[in-house]
């Protein structure tokens, strides 16, 4: 009600703000954090709430989705890049643990976790699945980029936790966290981890965003190839948030010279979210910048490819801005107006150009 009446000058919320029953008196600015966690239509739903004006839109993310990278080049989105680490953060060393070639390294992973705990720190162990067959849609990881008919099922937290308690991490204080737990139970576990009452948190991607425990310095991601680039980058950002450096171990059974291993090697080679977003673009493509598809091979642009024609697109943007500045209706550029109409089509399709 305060948002509807204008009593509240700033409204902070989750996806709930997108619901139809939420209204705003004079919406002038929309800020979307963790942009990759929202769909195109979800982000646009908020901006459409402006009653008398189109509100300004600011979207933030450490891992831009392919569509966003495309729109920055096509000229429909201005970018401000923050290249330095936030205050109080420490470097994160990322290492691929290739079990196909180095099976003995698996024991070293758990020794490293014990070393971090012995030093007074905490650790995360991340799995792609929950594991209870009674739970629907139990996978909380992004669909893997590659599939193999002979691959075993993804590892699950409900299976991994008891094995660690009885084996490699016996004697340590372990906790369980996944998206299917009741909200109060999730809160209880997370608060215990924050207070240092747990040494290791075995979790799914429920910890991907919004978790800030400066004392957590180690992260082990099992079946790492089953996660997307953005997820891996976001997950490892949960460590190195305090004075001590962080370590992220990407455990995989995928052999060398595969596309899956190449993605993991790329993650290990850089902590630059923009570089990873560019690689994500190469892998997933930009999708349809004139539609809601955030990534994929389908595009409304038949002859133009961001991957092949980036320099040409950048030059065309400069020319286009100059033309529109002096002839906004294209009345003096009839041929260009026809081409724009053929490319963009009707007003509904054209509207997608503004949807970030």
């Amino acid at each position: 009600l305060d948002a509807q009446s204008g009593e509240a000058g700033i409204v902070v919320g989750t996806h709930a703000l997108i619901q139809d029953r939420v209204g705003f008196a004079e919406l002038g600015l929309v800020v979307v954090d963790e942009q990759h966690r929202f769909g195109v239509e979800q982000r646009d739903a908020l901006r459409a709430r402006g009653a008398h004006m189109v509100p300004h839109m600011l979207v933030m993310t450490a891992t831009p989705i392919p569509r966003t990278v495309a729109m920055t080049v096509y000229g429909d989105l201005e970018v401000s890049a923050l290249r330095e680490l936030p205050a109080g953060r420490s470097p994160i060393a990322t290492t691929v643990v290739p079990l196909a070639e180095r099976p003995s390294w698996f024991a070293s992973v758990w020794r490293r976790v014990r070393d971090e705990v012995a030093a007074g720190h905490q650790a995360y162990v991340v799995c792609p699945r929950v594991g209870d067959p009674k739970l629907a849609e139990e996978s909380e990881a992004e669909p893997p980029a590659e599939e193999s008919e002979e691959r075993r099922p993804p590892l699950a937290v409900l299976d991994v936790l008891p094995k660690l308690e009885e084996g490699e991490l016996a004697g340590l204080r372990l906790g369980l966290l996944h998206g299917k737990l009741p909200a109060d139970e999730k809160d209880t576990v997370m608060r215990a981890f924050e207070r240092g009452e747990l040494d290791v948190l075995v979790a799914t991607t429920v910890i991907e965003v919004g978790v800030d425990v400066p004392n957590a310095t180690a992260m082990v991601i099992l079946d790492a190839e089953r996660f997307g680039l953005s997820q891996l980058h976001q997950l490892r950002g949960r460590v190195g948030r305090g004075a001590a450096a962080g370590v992220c171990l990407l455990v995989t059974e995928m052999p060398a010279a595969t596309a899956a291993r190449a993605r993991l090697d790329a993650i290990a080679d850089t902590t630059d979210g923009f570089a990873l977003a560019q690689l994500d673009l190469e892998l997933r493509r930009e999708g349809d910048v004139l539609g809601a598809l955030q990534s994929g091979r389908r595009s409304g642009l038949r002859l133009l490819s961001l991957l092949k024609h980036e320099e040409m697109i950048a030059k065309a943007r400069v020319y286009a801005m100059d033309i529109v500045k002096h002839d906004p209706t294209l009345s003096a550029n009839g041929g260009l107006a026809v081409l724009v109409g053929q490319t963009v089509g009707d007003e509904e399709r054209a509207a997608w150009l503004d949807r970030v």
Side-chain angles (χ1 to χ4, degrees), residues 8-24:
I10 299 176
V11 181
V12 181
T14 62
H15 289 74
L17 293 179
I18 301 172
Q19 304 303 315
D20 292 337
R21 64 178 179 274
V22 179
F24 301 91

Side-chain angles (χ1 to χ4, degrees), residues 187-251:
D187 186 66
T188 298
V189 173
M190 199 62 238
R191 293 291 175 266
F193 189 67
E194 291 173 349
R195 291 192 298 265
E197 297 169 3
L198 297 173
D199 299 315
V200 180
L201 188 61
V202 182
T204 59
T205 57
V206 69
I207 65 166
E208 183 180 341
V209 295
V211 173
D212 185 11
V213 181
N215 193 47
T217 56
M219 172 167 288
V220 177
I221 303 180
L222 301 176
D223 282 350
E225 76 284 350
R226 296 182 183 269
F227 297 86
L229 283 172
S230 294
Q231 281 188 314
L232 291 170
H233 187 55
Q234 290 283 346
L235 283 167
R236 72 171 166 190
R238 300 311 101 196
V239 297
R241 303 179 76 86
V247 59
C248 179
L249 303 177
L250 306 176
V251 181

Side-chain angles (χ1 to χ4, degrees), residues 13-301:
T14 62
H15 289 74
L17 293 179
I18 301 172
Q19 304 303 315
D20 292 337
R21 64 178 179 274
V22 179
F24 301 91
E26 291 287 346
L27 187 60
L29 172 66
V30 175
V31 180
V32 178
D33 194 14
E34 304 296 352
Q35 177 225 21
H36 64 285
R37 305 278 291 190
F38 296 80
V40 178
E41 293 179 338
Q42 285 181 316
R43 296 192 297 269
D44 192 60
L46 265 179
R47 189 168 62 172
R49 302 295 171 79
H52 307 296
M53 67 181 80
V54 177
H56 297 287
M57 189 83 166
L58 172 64
V59 294
M60 301 185 295
T61 182
T63 49
I65 57 176
R67 175 191 172 88
T68 304
V69 178
M71 294 184 75
T72 62
V73 177
Y74 288 134
D76 300 295
L77 193 65
E78 297 291 343
V79 172
S80 295
L82 304 178
R83 298 287 181 173
E84 65 275 4
L85 286 174
R89 298 290 180 85
S90 298
I92 304 171
T94 305
T95 302
V96 177
V97 181
L99 299 184
E101 300 97 89
R102 301 283 191 274
S104 62
W105 284 18
F106 199 44
S108 299
V109 168
W110 307 118
R111 283 198 297 270
R112 181 58 186 269
V113 171
R114 285 187 171 276
D115 289 344
E116 292 294 322
V117 173
H121 301 303
Q122 295 162 278
Y124 300 98
V125 175
V126 182
C127 304
R129 288 174 61 233
V130 177
D132 188 342
K134 298 178 182 178
L135 298 175
E137 300 180 0
E138 56 183 279
S139 178
E140 296 184 8
E142 290 179 356
E146 307 84 14
E147 292 288 349
S148 172
E149 295 180 359
E150 299 180 358
R151 294 181 68 184
R152 59 163 172 73
L155 292 173
V157 289
L158 293 179
D159 298 327
V160 169
L161 177 64
K163 293 180 180 179
L164 293 177
E165 289 177 324
E166 298 170 5
E168 292 89 347
L169 301 183
L172 300 186
R173 299 169 299 172
L174 275 60
L176 174 69
L177 190 68
H178 58 76
K180 302 299 181 179
L181 289 174
D184 58 343
E185 192 171 338
K186 284 190 288 187
D187 186 66
T188 298
V189 173
M190 199 62 238
R191 293 291 175 266
F193 189 67
E194 291 173 349
R195 291 192 298 265
E197 297 169 3
L198 297 173
D199 299 315
V200 180
L201 188 61
V202 182
T204 59
T205 57
V206 69
I207 65 166
E208 183 180 341
V209 295
V211 173
D212 185 11
V213 181
N215 193 47
T217 56
M219 172 167 288
V220 177
I221 303 180
L222 301 176
D223 282 350
E225 76 284 350
R226 296 182 183 269
F227 297 86
L229 283 172
S230 294
Q231 281 188 314
L232 291 170
H233 187 55
Q234 290 283 346
L235 283 167
R236 72 171 166 190
R238 300 311 101 196
V239 297
R241 303 179 76 86
V247 59
C248 179
L249 303 177
L250 306 176
V251 181
T252 180
E253 295 179 359
M254 296 300 290
T258 60
R261 275 286 293 279
R263 288 191 301 117
L264 297 183
D265 290 339
I267 284 282
D269 287 343
T270 182
T271 56
D272 186 339
F274 294 91
L276 294 173
Q278 182 66 31
L279 177 59
D280 207 11
L281 173 67
E282 296 173 7
L283 293 172
R284 294 201 287 159
R285 304 300 175 88
E286 64 264 33
D288 187 3
V289 294
L290 299 183
L293 192 64
Q294 299 203 144
S295 64
R297 297 188 177 276
R298 190 187 74 188
S299 174
L301 305 177

